[in-house]
Amino acid sequence: MLLFRLSSTMWLAAVCLFMASAVSTETVTTCGDASIAHRLECEDGVISVQSALYGRANKVICSEGRPPQQTSNTGCSQSGTRNFVKTRCNGKKMCEISTNDVNSPDPCTGTYKYLQTNFTCLPAIHLIVCENSYAHLYCDRGQVISVFGADYGRQDKAVCYASRPPSQVENVYCSNPTQIVAQSCDGKNSCSIRVSNSVFGDPCVGTYKYLQLSYVCEYPTFG
Ligand SMILES: *[C@@H]1O[C@H](CO)[C@@H](O)[C@H](O)[C@H]1NC(C)=O
């Protein structure tokens, strides 16, 4: 009996440890108000943004070589930053944001600002499907799809590029987060969706695009 108690305690501890490590938060901080890439990446799973700040909430971060008057205002934050980063990055394995995407209007002139994101990596099924193909989403029997994020566009030259002329793959600033996949697939056991302009619209004419999406399979909750 004692042995049983011990081992079940250890098992519980192991589960807790696993869960803690699965949801550990990562922080990325990018200094400056020029156009600097802010890169989030998950080796396992997909990005889930917890919080994001563009401005300054701390005197020490990004203060090196800066006069005190540029770092003393610690109550500066651009509204909408969290939503912007979430929309751009949730459900992807990697995403890059430029500080230019969030720096206007200037939330605090004269203050040296930074962009900081806290995110976790969630276990999810991640798909990349090239334009004019079909995305097929499947769950095990009894489970249903819950789409976590989807983006129809192009953020990478080296994805869906085979036999495409350079002009069609060089625009990597085409991001068009979409709810369409969630609307057609959420709650279903499986789902197919055509990856084309006729379904998603054309966010960047002349660029060959792809759909990036992630979803989890879960047991339906009733009530
Ligand atoms: C990120 O997490 C750290 C540690 O909890 C916290 O100090 C910081 O304020 C957070 N940043 C944002 C942008 O919420």
Side-chain angles (χ1 to χ4, degrees):
M1 193 59 194
L2 181 65
L3 195 70
F4 168 76
R5 282 222 187 111
L6 257 180
S7 66
S8 67
T9 308
M10 278 163 67
W11 183 81
L12 219 88
V15 168
C16 288
L17 214 74
F18 169 77
M19 283 169 65
S21 69
V23 295
S24 77
T25 302
E26 303 188 32
T27 302
V28 173
T29 306
T30 306
C31 305
D33 28 31
S35 169
I36 300 172
H38 183 70
R39 182 187 173 95
L40 315 183
E41 188 161 16
C42 285
E43 229 169 84
D44 293 311
V46 298
I47 298 163
S48 171
V49 172
Q50 310 300 299
S51 55
L53 170 96
Y54 177 72
R56 176 169 288 279
N58 181 301
K59 271 200 170 71
V60 180
I61 294 171
C62 297
S63 65
E64 210 170 291
R66 294 280 152 183
Q69 64 268 26
Q70 289 187 5
T71 58
S72 57
N73 173 7
T74 56
C76 170
S77 81
Q78 179 77 289
S79 70
T81 304
R82 177 170 176 263
N83 273 344
F84 180 84
V85 179
K86 267 181 119 162
T87 310
R88 271 292 187 87
C89 299
N90 271 5
K92 292 179 181 168
K93 285 192 138 347
M94 191 277 282
C95 80
E96 283 191 9
I97 285 177
S98 157
T99 44
N100 268 351
D101 295 329
V102 292
N103 70 0
S104 83
D106 193 334
C108 48
T109 320
T111 292
Y112 186 63
K113 293 168 278 289
Y114 58 85
L115 175 61
Q116 183 174 75
T117 302
N118 286 342
F119 68 100
T120 58
C121 296
L122 291 183
I125 300 161
H126 179 253
L127 292 182
I128 290 180
V129 183
C130 305
E131 184 176 343
N132 295 324
S133 310
Y134 278 86
H136 299 289
L137 291 71
Y138 298 107
C139 289
D140 284 347
R141 207 184 159 126
Q143 295 196 316
V144 295
I145 295 162
S146 175
V147 173
F148 184 55
D151 191 325
Y152 180 61
R154 173 172 291 277
Q155 297 98 51
D156 193 328
K157 270 186 193 164
V159 172
C160 294
Y161 67 95
S163 70
R164 288 285 153 179
S167 65
Q168 291 185 4
V169 299
E170 63 201 9
N171 173 13
V172 293
Y173 299 103
C174 180
S175 180
N176 180 44
T178 172
Q179 289 298 316
I180 291 172
V181 183
Q183 280 157 12
S184 5
C185 299
D186 274 0
K188 295 183 181 166
N189 174 253
S190 69
C191 172
S192 294
I193 190 161
R194 190 168 152 75
V195 178
S196 69
N197 293 334
S198 60
V199 173
F200 295 101
D202 192 346
C204 41
V205 178
T207 293
Y208 182 62
K209 294 166 286 290
Y210 53 85
L211 177 70
Q212 176 167 195
L213 71 96
S214 65
Y215 65 101
V216 292
C217 291
E218 50 191 29
Y219 288 99
T221 48
F222 299 101

